Each structure stands twice: as C-alpha cells, then as structure tokens.
Amino acid sequence: RFVGYVRRAELEELISTLALVRGENEVVTLDDLNPITDSMVMRMVPDAPLSQAHQVFKQLGCQRIFVVGHVPGGQKDVLRGILTKKNFLKFLQEGQVGHMPDQSEDP
C-alpha cells in the first residue's frame, strides 16, 4: 500500500543513524520510516487525463504526481509510477504528449 515518499537525503541520514545504533545489517522498518515519510502527496489514477496532470503542475506547483491504482487480484493503492514536472514539461516541449500515431502505418 502506497503511503507516501521519503526524500533521499532523509533516507540516507536515517540509514546512517540506524547503522550506528543497530548495526549495518539491520532492517529498516516502516516504524523507522513513518516520521520522515511525506504522506501529503498528489495522487492520480493511471487513466487520469494528461490535462489534469498539467493543471496540477501549473496551479498547485507540485513537482511530482504519484500514479496510484489497483492491480489485478484486488490490491489497492499500489504505486504504478511517478510523473515528474520536469519530465512532463520535456514531453510537452517535444510534442510527445497525447496520442502518438503508430509508426508502422502509412501516412
């Protein structure tokens, strides 16, 4: 179940601290991660329109949208992907957003 994300610097600091306290081969638990997990993230379902993602980036100033959905078998809130503002804008500039024609078809 997707609950949020942890920034790399915070995760590295946590791992270093736990390695000193517990030893290097100990497992990091969810309880260890909870204090540094950002659960206030923007989520979208996989079939959300790209125009909605554009509005989120433009109006809310988000840097990432977490694509969360279910998988066959009933598991809900599974992270299916991450859409970053940087990659989204790159694809917009390159004209690669939206329906792409099949390259094998004749014009």
Side-chain angles (χ1 to χ4, degrees):
R1 183 171 78 89
F2 178 74
V3 295
Y5 78 103
V6 176
R7 295 186 185 274
R8 180 183 306 173
E10 293 172 331
L11 181 60
E12 288 172 348
E13 183 179 331
L14 175 68
I15 290 171
S16 296
T17 301
L18 291 177
L20 292 173
V21 173
R22 298 183 189 169
E24 287 194 20
N25 295 325
E26 288 297 315
V27 175
V28 176
T29 66
L30 287 177
D31 289 335
D32 297 327
L33 292 172
N34 278 336
I36 61 171
T37 300
D38 183 357
S39 60
M40 301 298 290
V41 296
M42 179 54 63
R43 301 173 189 213
M44 289 186 152
V45 294
D47 57 350
L50 290 175
S51 60
Q52 186 177 0
H54 184 259
Q55 290 300 316
V56 167
F57 287 133
K58 185 176 178 181
Q59 294 178 351
L60 299 179
C62 296
Q63 296 299 309
R64 293 167 205 82
I65 297 173
F66 295 87
V67 181
V68 179
H70 68 279
V71 293
Q75 191 174 4
K76 296 179 182 179
D77 290 338
V78 175
L79 180 63
R80 305 291 301 269
I82 301 172
L83 180 60
T84 65
K85 183 176 183 178
K86 180 179 178 179
N87 284 339
F88 185 77
L89 292 175
K90 177 183 168 191
F91 283 111
L92 276 179
Q93 290 170 348
E94 294 174 358
Q96 296 181 1
V97 174
H99 174 72
M100 298 297 293
D102 187 355
Q103 297 298 326
S104 64
E105 294 179 10
D106 292 320

